Amino acid sequence: MNSTPSEQSFIPIAKPLLGEDEKAAVMAVLESGMLVQGKRVAEFEARFAKLCGVKHAVAVASGTASLWLTMMAYEIGPGDEVITTPFSFIASSNCALFVGARPVFVDVDPDTCLIDASGIEARITEHTRAILPVHLYGQPCDMAAIMEIADRHNLIVIEDACQAHGATFEGQPVGSFGTGCFSFYPTKNMTTGEGGIITTNDDALAERLRLLRNHGQSQRYRHESLGYHFRTTDIQAAIGLAQLEKLGPWNEQRIANGRYLSERLTGVRVPVMARHRRHVFHQYTIRVSGDRQAFQDHLREQGVGTAIHYPLPIHHQPLYRSLGYDDVLPEAEAASREVLSLPVHPALSQSDLDRIVAAVNSFAGLT
Ligand SMILES: *Cc1c(COP(=O)(O)O)cnc(C)c1O
């Protein structure tokens, strides 16, 4: 007999990997006494810019702050519209609300759950300033189509790459097409505890971002514009530098885990990999037709953690309902009813992967 699930450890949906490197890096910062916006932050920015193949990276307090600050740096505001996806974490579209602009939703592709680029042009108006694609689950959007539309209509592109560190489209890193926004929250492909970063090739934009994240301050106590406090610390940057060393192998492991699952799962729709993309599997998200709650309960009983990303599309969130949104976006709505994320993180062992497969396939066998 196999051991019962209670004798085996529970497989969590996400697991930040923090080891001796991170501890030593943090201790070195504490011993230096330079805690904020010092050498480690500058080094982390340089290394992250290199990862994305861009000239500048500007570290900030969170992924949400990266999106918000980018909106402010582009002076997007009241009267402006930002075209984005209804199927993401709420911060993706809220950043438009933060600056008084209006998110405009385009439904997603039913296979990838990414914004359907062919639906964007119909939503462009004279008020549109930006397109904000989200590289959901670690899979890049169709950046060829999106950049072509943006160029033709003279629109800003802000990539929400909060789930896609190291992903590429046609070999080009995400965060290098438009202005890239990344998060380092603990569940992401790499973490700094909390944190975020903005990537760009635009010198003037980078300078504006640096001013705005620090009270609009150009020299000590000289303030050029209304700025904010969105800085990050050397402690976080030191953790990030240690994590960056391992991001490549971790992403490879995520991709290998994803492939392993996709080759073996039955009775569910496995993730669709669009062409010419490196999908870094921030999430491994299947589609379940039928009773998703029962399926999730079954997996929990088998010791497999799951999560729903996301149970409500953004236009159905109470906040957006209260703002008058009444869009009908059938693909995003169907995805919200059917998606289920399984563990794919690089801490999974071979036996964890086999337990996930067995747990999924044993439920599918019952239906
Ligand atoms: C995590 C995430 C964010 C926000 O990042 P925080 O660091 O938590 O503020 C924004 N967009 C997406 C798609 C995310 O997954």
Side-chain angles (χ1 to χ4, degrees):
M1 273 300 288
N2 290 328
S3 52
T4 62
S6 61
E7 292 164 19
Q8 295 174 327
S9 57
F10 191 78
I11 305 169
I13 181 71
K15 186 174 164 72
L17 289 166
L18 298 160
E20 293 309 316
D21 299 349
E22 286 79 4
K23 286 182 199 162
V26 168
M27 287 309 294
V29 172
L30 296 183
E31 278 158 18
S32 79
M34 270 293 296
L35 298 188
V36 175
Q37 210 71 69
K39 274 205 292 248
R40 291 283 93 83
V41 171
E43 202 180 327
F44 182 52
E45 291 178 333
R47 293 280 299 284
F48 202 87
K50 198 160 169 224
L51 172 79
C52 296
V54 296
K55 283 164 77 180
H56 307 281
V58 179
V60 293
S62 68
T64 304
S66 73
L67 290 159
W68 189 356
L69 201 64
T70 299
M71 290 282 156
M72 293 189 293
Y74 278 120
E75 296 180 329
I76 294 171
D80 294 334
E81 294 174 356
V82 176
I83 293 178
T84 190
T85 171
F87 194 60
S88 181
F89 181 58
I90 192 103
S92 301
S93 60
N94 275 2
C95 66
L97 297 181
F98 293 155
V99 296
R102 181 172 175 81
V104 171
F105 296 114
V106 167
D107 206 357
V108 296
D109 178 294
D111 288 332
T112 60
C113 296
L114 301 171
I115 190 168
D116 182 353
S118 71
I120 291 175
E121 235 165 345
R123 302 301 313 267
I124 293 175
T125 71
E126 76 219 72
H127 302 292
T128 308
R129 286 285 311 284
I131 306 173
L132 196 155
V134 180
H135 306 308
L136 193 75
Y137 306 148
Q139 173 149 245
C141 297
D142 183 349
M143 293 313 294
I146 291 169
M147 296 311 292
E148 193 272 320
I149 295 165
D151 285 346
R152 197 143 34 80
H153 295 271
N154 198 21
L155 300 174
I156 295 159
V157 174
I158 300 168
E159 299 174 66
D160 181 339
C162 286
Q163 303 187 355
H165 321 67
T168 63
F169 177 85
E170 292 179 344
Q172 183 180 335
V174 301
S176 69
F177 292 88
T179 296
C181 296
F182 293 83
S183 165
F184 302 119
Y185 183 73
T187 59
K188 310 291 178 172
N189 290 31
M190 60 174 285
T191 185
T192 63
E194 294 277 13
I197 208 162
I198 305 159
T199 53
T200 179
N201 279 314
D202 182 333
D203 300 341
L205 182 76
E207 194 178 322
R208 208 146 58 237
L209 289 166
R210 290 181 198 285
L211 266 186
L212 287 173
R213 81 170 160 190
N214 190 26
H215 298 288
Q217 178 172 280
S218 56
Q219 307 161 22
R220 182 169 290 230
Y221 303 132
R222 182 183 168 88
H223 303 276
E224 308 292 339
S225 59
L226 179 64
Y228 304 82
H229 171 190
F230 281 168
R231 296 184 307 258
T232 190
T233 68
D234 273 42
I235 301 168
Q236 289 159 287
I239 297 171
L241 281 163
Q243 296 262 304
L244 260 183
E245 292 289 330
K246 295 170 279 196
L247 177 68
W250 282 343
N251 279 344
E252 289 303 325
Q253 192 61 54
R254 285 178 180 274
I255 293 165
N257 291 347
R259 187 181 309 124
Y260 191 87
L261 294 175
S262 289
E263 284 167 358
R264 287 164 182 79
L265 298 184
T266 55
V268 296
R269 268 170 77 193
V270 299
V272 172
M273 313 269 281
R275 282 152 55 83
H276 310 307
R277 286 163 235 209
R278 182 175 193 243
H279 180 336
V280 293
F281 283 102
H282 170 61
Q283 300 294 350
Y284 181 90
T285 304
I286 60 173
R287 301 279 290 254
V288 181
S289 52
D291 189 343
R292 180 174 61 180
Q293 184 62 58
F295 191 70
Q296 205 175 9
D297 293 345
H298 166 79
L299 293 176
R300 190 183 308 109
E301 280 158 23
Q302 299 296 310
V304 177
T306 59
I308 296 169
H309 305 106
Y310 295 90
L312 264 189
I314 294 176
H315 63 292
H316 283 178
Q317 292 288 348
L319 166 64
Y320 284 76
R321 291 287 204 205
S322 76
L323 293 171
Y325 280 81
D326 60 0
D327 304 52
V328 177
L329 300 162
E331 299 302 343
E333 291 159 24
S336 285
R337 289 190 299 270
E338 295 176 9
V339 291
L340 188 66
S341 300
L342 303 175
V344 74
H345 54 78
L348 295 176
S349 66
Q350 184 59 48
S351 95
D352 291 337
L353 286 165
D354 289 330
R355 280 175 59 202
I356 295 165
V357 171
V360 169
N361 291 355
S362 63
F363 185 79
L366 297 174
T367 55

mmCIF file of all heavy atoms in Angstrom, residues 158-193:
data_model
loop_
_atom_site.group_PDB
_atom_site.id
_atom_site.type_symbol
_atom_site.label_atom_id
_atom_site.label_comp_id
_atom_site.label_asym_id
_atom_site.label_seq_id
_atom_site.Cartn_x
_atom_site.Cartn_y
_atom_site.Cartn_z
ATOM 1 N N ILE A 158 3.064 49.305 -21.771
ATOM 2 C CA ILE A 158 3.547 48.990 -20.423
ATOM 3 C C ILE A 158 3.300 47.507 -20.212
ATOM 4 O O ILE A 158 2.159 47.046 -20.224
ATOM 5 C CB ILE A 158 2.806 49.829 -19.363
ATOM 6 C CG1 ILE A 158 3.044 51.322 -19.616
ATOM 7 C CG2 ILE A 158 3.268 49.443 -17.946
ATOM 8 C CD1 ILE A 158 2.133 52.237 -18.806
ATOM 9 N N GLU A 159 4.384 46.743 -20.068
ATOM 10 C CA GLU A 159 4.251 45.296 -19.905
ATOM 11 C C GLU A 159 4.157 44.966 -18.420
ATOM 12 O O GLU A 159 5.083 45.265 -17.666
ATOM 13 C CB GLU A 159 5.482 44.574 -20.458
ATOM 14 C CG GLU A 159 5.770 44.771 -21.918
ATOM 15 C CD GLU A 159 7.090 44.110 -22.280
ATOM 16 O OE1 GLU A 159 7.175 42.859 -22.206
ATOM 17 O OE2 GLU A 159 8.052 44.840 -22.599
ATOM 18 N N ASP A 160 3.062 44.351 -18.013
ATOM 19 C CA ASP A 160 3.013 43.803 -16.654
ATOM 20 C C ASP A 160 3.692 42.435 -16.714
ATOM 21 O O ASP A 160 3.100 41.436 -17.127
ATOM 22 C CB ASP A 160 1.569 43.698 -16.162
ATOM 23 C CG ASP A 160 1.490 43.158 -14.731
ATOM 24 O OD1 ASP A 160 2.466 42.505 -14.289
ATOM 25 O OD2 ASP A 160 0.460 43.371 -14.060
ATOM 26 N N ALA A 161 4.979 42.447 -16.323
ATOM 27 C CA ALA A 161 5.793 41.232 -16.361
ATOM 28 C C ALA A 161 6.004 40.695 -14.950
ATOM 29 O O ALA A 161 6.981 39.996 -14.680
ATOM 30 C CB ALA A 161 7.125 41.530 -17.039
ATOM 31 N N CYS A 162 5.062 41.008 -14.066
ATOM 32 C CA CYS A 162 5.197 40.629 -12.651
ATOM 33 C C CYS A 162 5.267 39.117 -12.454
ATOM 34 O O CYS A 162 5.708 38.649 -11.412
ATOM 35 C CB CYS A 162 4.048 41.214 -11.841
ATOM 36 S SG CYS A 162 4.212 43.002 -11.589
ATOM 37 N N GLN A 163 4.820 38.355 -13.463
ATOM 38 C CA GLN A 163 4.848 36.888 -13.345
ATOM 39 C C GLN A 163 5.834 36.276 -14.336
ATOM 40 O O GLN A 163 5.800 35.063 -14.537
ATOM 41 C CB GLN A 163 3.441 36.318 -13.610
ATOM 42 C CG GLN A 163 2.379 36.884 -12.685
ATOM 43 C CD GLN A 163 1.023 36.211 -12.827
ATOM 44 O OE1 GLN A 163 0.823 35.371 -13.690
ATOM 45 N NE2 GLN A 163 0.089 36.582 -11.962
ATOM 46 N N ALA A 164 6.688 37.072 -14.954
ATOM 47 C CA ALA A 164 7.384 36.547 -16.141
ATOM 48 C C ALA A 164 8.880 36.858 -16.190
ATOM 49 O O ALA A 164 9.438 37.038 -17.272
ATOM 50 C CB ALA A 164 6.690 37.065 -17.395
ATOM 51 N N HIS A 165 9.552 36.887 -15.054
ATOM 52 C CA HIS A 165 11.005 37.134 -15.026
ATOM 53 C C HIS A 165 11.731 36.099 -15.875
ATOM 54 O O HIS A 165 11.660 34.901 -15.584
ATOM 55 C CB HIS A 165 11.536 37.038 -13.601
ATOM 56 C CG HIS A 165 10.639 37.624 -12.548
ATOM 57 N ND1 HIS A 165 9.421 37.072 -12.248
ATOM 58 C CD2 HIS A 165 10.795 38.682 -11.741
ATOM 59 C CE1 HIS A 165 8.851 37.796 -11.294
ATOM 60 N NE2 HIS A 165 9.662 38.784 -10.968
ATOM 61 N N GLY A 166 12.412 36.552 -16.910
ATOM 62 C CA GLY A 166 13.200 35.630 -17.736
ATOM 63 C C GLY A 166 12.439 35.037 -18.909
ATOM 64 O O GLY A 166 13.001 34.251 -19.668
ATOM 65 N N ALA A 167 11.173 35.398 -19.087
ATOM 66 C CA ALA A 167 10.407 34.900 -20.240
ATOM 67 C C ALA A 167 10.818 35.666 -21.496
ATOM 68 O O ALA A 167 11.287 36.810 -21.408
ATOM 69 C CB ALA A 167 8.909 35.067 -19.992
ATOM 70 N N THR A 168 10.668 35.028 -22.660
ATOM 71 C CA THR A 168 11.015 35.708 -23.908
ATOM 72 C C THR A 168 9.933 35.497 -24.957
ATOM 73 O O THR A 168 9.218 34.494 -24.949
ATOM 74 C CB THR A 168 12.349 35.189 -24.506
ATOM 75 O OG1 THR A 168 12.208 33.804 -24.838
ATOM 76 C CG2 THR A 168 13.504 35.368 -23.543
ATOM 77 N N PHE A 169 9.858 36.477 -25.870
ATOM 78 C CA PHE A 169 9.013 36.371 -27.067
ATOM 79 C C PHE A 169 9.932 36.471 -28.275
ATOM 80 O O PHE A 169 10.651 37.457 -28.418
ATOM 81 C CB PHE A 169 7.966 37.494 -27.093
ATOM 82 C CG PHE A 169 7.116 37.478 -28.335
ATOM 83 C CD1 PHE A 169 5.996 36.674 -28.397
ATOM 84 C CD2 PHE A 169 7.457 38.245 -29.442
ATOM 85 C CE1 PHE A 169 5.217 36.620 -29.548
ATOM 86 C CE2 PHE A 169 6.688 38.204 -30.598
ATOM 87 C CZ PHE A 169 5.568 37.387 -30.648
ATOM 88 N N GLU A 170 9.922 35.464 -29.137
ATOM 89 C CA GLU A 170 10.856 35.389 -30.269
ATOM 90 C C GLU A 170 12.281 35.669 -29.812
ATOM 91 O O GLU A 170 13.029 36.402 -30.465
ATOM 92 C CB GLU A 170 10.418 36.343 -31.388
ATOM 93 C CG GLU A 170 9.108 35.889 -32.037
ATOM 94 C CD GLU A 170 8.604 36.818 -33.133
ATOM 95 O OE1 GLU A 170 9.089 37.967 -33.211
ATOM 96 O OE2 GLU A 170 7.711 36.398 -33.903
ATOM 97 N N GLY A 171 12.636 35.133 -28.656
ATOM 98 C CA GLY A 171 13.996 35.257 -28.140
ATOM 99 C C GLY A 171 14.302 36.563 -27.425
ATOM 100 O O GLY A 171 15.365 36.712 -26.831
ATOM 101 N N GLN A 172 13.360 37.509 -27.474
ATOM 102 C CA GLN A 172 13.601 38.809 -26.834
ATOM 103 C C GLN A 172 12.948 38.840 -25.447
ATOM 104 O O GLN A 172 11.787 38.468 -25.290
ATOM 105 C CB GLN A 172 13.027 39.928 -27.723
ATOM 106 C CG GLN A 172 13.282 41.322 -27.178
ATOM 107 C CD GLN A 172 12.701 42.415 -28.060
ATOM 108 O OE1 GLN A 172 12.503 42.229 -29.271
ATOM 109 N NE2 GLN A 172 12.403 43.557 -27.456
ATOM 110 N N PRO A 173 13.706 39.273 -24.418
ATOM 111 C CA PRO A 173 13.157 39.238 -23.050
ATOM 112 C C PRO A 173 11.929 40.136 -22.872
ATOM 113 O O PRO A 173 11.892 41.249 -23.416
ATOM 114 C CB PRO A 173 14.308 39.764 -22.178
ATOM 115 C CG PRO A 173 15.533 39.636 -23.009
ATOM 116 C CD PRO A 173 15.097 39.751 -24.441
ATOM 117 N N VAL A 174 10.971 39.669 -22.104
ATOM 118 C CA VAL A 174 9.864 40.545 -21.716
ATOM 119 C C VAL A 174 10.432 41.687 -20.873
ATOM 120 O O VAL A 174 11.464 41.544 -20.234
ATOM 121 C CB VAL A 174 8.744 39.798 -20.951
ATOM 122 C CG1 VAL A 174 8.156 38.671 -21.792
ATOM 123 C CG2 VAL A 174 9.231 39.285 -19.606
ATOM 124 N N GLY A 175 9.759 42.803 -20.927
ATOM 125 C CA GLY A 175 10.262 43.980 -20.231
ATOM 126 C C GLY A 175 11.167 44.822 -21.111
ATOM 127 O O GLY A 175 11.604 45.898 -20.695
ATOM 128 N N SER A 176 11.440 44.344 -22.350
ATOM 129 C CA SER A 176 12.287 45.120 -23.269
ATOM 130 C C SER A 176 11.510 45.583 -24.500
ATOM 131 O O SER A 176 12.059 46.254 -25.357
ATOM 132 C CB SER A 176 13.495 44.283 -23.713
ATOM 133 O OG SER A 176 13.082 43.221 -24.557
ATOM 134 N N PHE A 177 10.248 45.224 -24.584
ATOM 135 C CA PHE A 177 9.424 45.669 -25.719
ATOM 136 C C PHE A 177 8.890 47.070 -25.415
ATOM 137 O O PHE A 177 9.138 48.019 -26.144
ATOM 138 C CB PHE A 177 8.269 44.696 -25.956
ATOM 139 C CG PHE A 177 8.738 43.352 -26.448
ATOM 140 C CD1 PHE A 177 9.087 42.361 -25.549
ATOM 141 C CD2 PHE A 177 8.835 43.096 -27.800
ATOM 142 C CE1 PHE A 177 9.528 41.127 -25.999
ATOM 143 C CE2 PHE A 177 9.270 41.874 -28.263
ATOM 144 C CZ PHE A 177 9.627 40.873 -27.355
ATOM 145 N N GLY A 178 8.134 47.160 -24.327
ATOM 146 C CA GLY A 178 7.676 48.454 -23.845
ATOM 147 C C GLY A 178 8.437 48.769 -22.573
ATOM 148 O O GLY A 178 9.608 48.420 -22.435
ATOM 149 N N THR A 179 7.760 49.402 -21.624
ATOM 150 C CA THR A 179 8.336 49.590 -20.301
ATOM 151 C C THR A 179 7.900 48.405 -19.449
ATOM 152 O O THR A 179 6.710 48.102 -19.391
ATOM 153 C CB THR A 179 7.841 50.922 -19.707
ATOM 154 O OG1 THR A 179 8.326 51.976 -20.534
ATOM 155 C CG2 THR A 179 8.337 51.121 -18.291
ATOM 156 N N GLY A 180 8.846 47.722 -18.827
ATOM 157 C CA GLY A 180 8.550 46.487 -18.111
ATOM 158 C C GLY A 180 8.356 46.719 -16.619
ATOM 159 O O GLY A 180 9.104 47.477 -16.009
ATOM 160 N N CYS A 181 7.348 46.060 -16.054
ATOM 161 C CA CYS A 181 7.086 46.164 -14.620
ATOM 162 C C CYS A 181 7.122 44.765 -14.016
ATOM 163 O O CYS A 181 6.401 43.870 -14.468
ATOM 164 C CB CYS A 181 5.718 46.795 -14.381
ATOM 165 S SG CYS A 181 5.636 48.497 -14.971
ATOM 166 N N PHE A 182 7.964 44.603 -12.997
ATOM 167 C CA PHE A 182 8.171 43.292 -12.379
ATOM 168 C C PHE A 182 7.905 43.370 -10.879
ATOM 169 O O PHE A 182 8.108 44.412 -10.260
ATOM 170 C CB PHE A 182 9.625 42.836 -12.576
ATOM 171 C CG PHE A 182 10.000 42.543 -14.007
ATOM 172 C CD1 PHE A 182 10.381 43.578 -14.859
ATOM 173 C CD2 PHE A 182 9.987 41.245 -14.497
ATOM 174 C CE1 PHE A 182 10.742 43.312 -16.174
ATOM 175 C CE2 PHE A 182 10.345 40.970 -15.813
ATOM 176 C CZ PHE A 182 10.727 42.007 -16.652
ATOM 177 N N SER A 183 7.507 42.242 -10.303
ATOM 178 C CA SER A 183 7.301 42.115 -8.851
ATOM 179 C C SER A 183 8.265 41.085 -8.280
ATOM 180 O O SER A 183 8.599 40.107 -8.950
ATOM 181 C CB SER A 183 5.868 41.653 -8.581
ATOM 182 O OG SER A 183 5.730 41.182 -7.247
ATOM 183 N N PHE A 184 8.658 41.301 -7.040
ATOM 184 C CA PHE A 184 9.492 40.316 -6.341
ATOM 185 C C PHE A 184 8.810 39.804 -5.074
ATOM 186 O O PHE A 184 9.463 39.493 -4.075
ATOM 187 C CB PHE A 184 10.874 40.924 -6.015
ATOM 188 C CG PHE A 184 11.610 41.401 -7.228
ATOM 189 C CD1 PHE A 184 11.953 42.740 -7.360
ATOM 190 C CD2 PHE A 184 11.936 40.527 -8.253
ATOM 191 C CE1 PHE A 184 12.625 43.195 -8.488
ATOM 192 C CE2 PHE A 184 12.606 40.973 -9.390
ATOM 193 C CZ PHE A 184 12.955 42.310 -9.500
ATOM 194 N N TYR A 185 7.501 39.745 -5.110
ATOM 195 C CA TYR A 185 6.713 39.158 -4.015
ATOM 196 C C TYR A 185 7.146 37.692 -3.836
ATOM 197 O O TYR A 185 7.595 37.051 -4.799
ATOM 198 C CB TYR A 185 5.230 39.273 -4.405
ATOM 199 C CG TYR A 185 4.287 38.775 -3.358
ATOM 200 C CD1 TYR A 185 4.066 39.516 -2.192
ATOM 201 C CD2 TYR A 185 3.623 37.556 -3.509
ATOM 202 C CE1 TYR A 185 3.208 39.046 -1.220
ATOM 203 C CE2 TYR A 185 2.763 37.094 -2.539
ATOM 204 C CZ TYR A 185 2.554 37.838 -1.394
ATOM 205 O OH TYR A 185 1.710 37.375 -0.424
ATOM 206 N N PRO A 186 7.033 37.131 -2.615
ATOM 207 C CA PRO A 186 7.607 35.796 -2.362
ATOM 208 C C PRO A 186 7.148 34.659 -3.268
ATOM 209 O O PRO A 186 7.905 33.708 -3.469
ATOM 210 C CB PRO A 186 7.218 35.522 -0.904
ATOM 211 C CG PRO A 186 7.155 36.877 -0.287
ATOM 212 C CD PRO A 186 6.606 37.780 -1.363
ATOM 213 N N THR A 187 5.948 34.719 -3.824
ATOM 214 C CA THR A 187 5.512 33.597 -4.676
ATOM 215 C C THR A 187 6.029 33.700 -6.111
ATOM 216 O O THR A 187 5.861 32.770 -6.894
ATOM 217 C CB THR A 187 3.969 33.524 -4.750
ATOM 218 O OG1 THR A 187 3.504 34.761 -5.291
ATOM 219 C CG2 THR A 187 3.358 33.277 -3.389
ATOM 220 N N LYS A 188 6.626 34.817 -6.492
ATOM 221 C CA LYS A 188 7.046 35.004 -7.893
ATOM 222 C C LYS A 188 8.269 34.133 -8.207
ATOM 223 O O LYS A 188 8.855 33.535 -7.311
ATOM 224 C CB LYS A 188 7.359 36.477 -8.153
ATOM 225 C CG LYS A 188 6.286 37.448 -7.691
ATOM 226 C CD LYS A 188 4.997 37.398 -8.478
ATOM 227 C CE LYS A 188 4.009 38.390 -7.864
ATOM 228 N NZ LYS A 188 2.802 38.597 -8.611
ATOM 229 N N ASN A 189 8.694 34.136 -9.458
ATOM 230 C CA ASN A 189 9.800 33.260 -9.857
ATOM 231 C C ASN A 189 11.108 33.614 -9.155
ATOM 232 O O ASN A 189 11.994 32.781 -9.052
ATOM 233 C CB ASN A 189 9.987 33.277 -11.375
ATOM 234 C CG ASN A 189 8.842 32.591 -12.094
ATOM 235 O OD1 ASN A 189 7.711 32.606 -11.617
ATOM 236 N ND2 ASN A 189 9.128 31.985 -13.232
ATOM 237 N N MET A 190 11.220 34.851 -8.697
ATOM 238 C CA MET A 190 12.308 35.233 -7.789
ATOM 239 C C MET A 190 11.751 36.282 -6.834
ATOM 240 O O MET A 190 10.800 36.982 -7.160
ATOM 241 C CB MET A 190 13.518 35.784 -8.557
ATOM 242 C CG MET A 190 13.208 37.009 -9.391
ATOM 243 S SD MET A 190 14.686 37.743 -10.153
ATOM 244 C CE MET A 190 15.456 38.542 -8.734
ATOM 245 N N THR A 191 12.355 36.378 -5.641
ATOM 246 C CA THR A 191 11.780 37.279 -4.640
ATOM 247 C C THR A 191 12.843 38.154 -3.987
ATOM 248 O O THR A 191 14.035 37.815 -3.989
ATOM 249 C CB THR A 191 11.026 36.493 -3.552
ATOM 250 O OG1 THR A 191 10.384 37.431 -2.668
ATOM 251 C CG2 THR A 191 11.957 35.612 -2.735
ATOM 252 N N THR A 192 12.377 39.283 -3.441
ATOM 253 C CA THR A 192 13.200 40.079 -2.530
ATOM 254 C C THR A 192 12.417 40.318 -1.234
ATOM 255 O O THR A 192 12.694 41.255 -0.500
ATOM 256 C CB THR A 192 13.578 41.444 -3.160
ATOM 257 O OG1 THR A 192 12.382 42.206 -3.386
ATOM 258 C CG2 THR A 192 14.311 41.276 -4.476
ATOM 259 N N GLY A 193 11.438 39.478 -0.954
ATOM 260 C CA GLY A 193 10.518 39.718 0.168
ATOM 261 C C GLY A 193 9.335 40.494 -0.377
ATOM 262 O O GLY A 193 8.308 39.932 -0.739
#
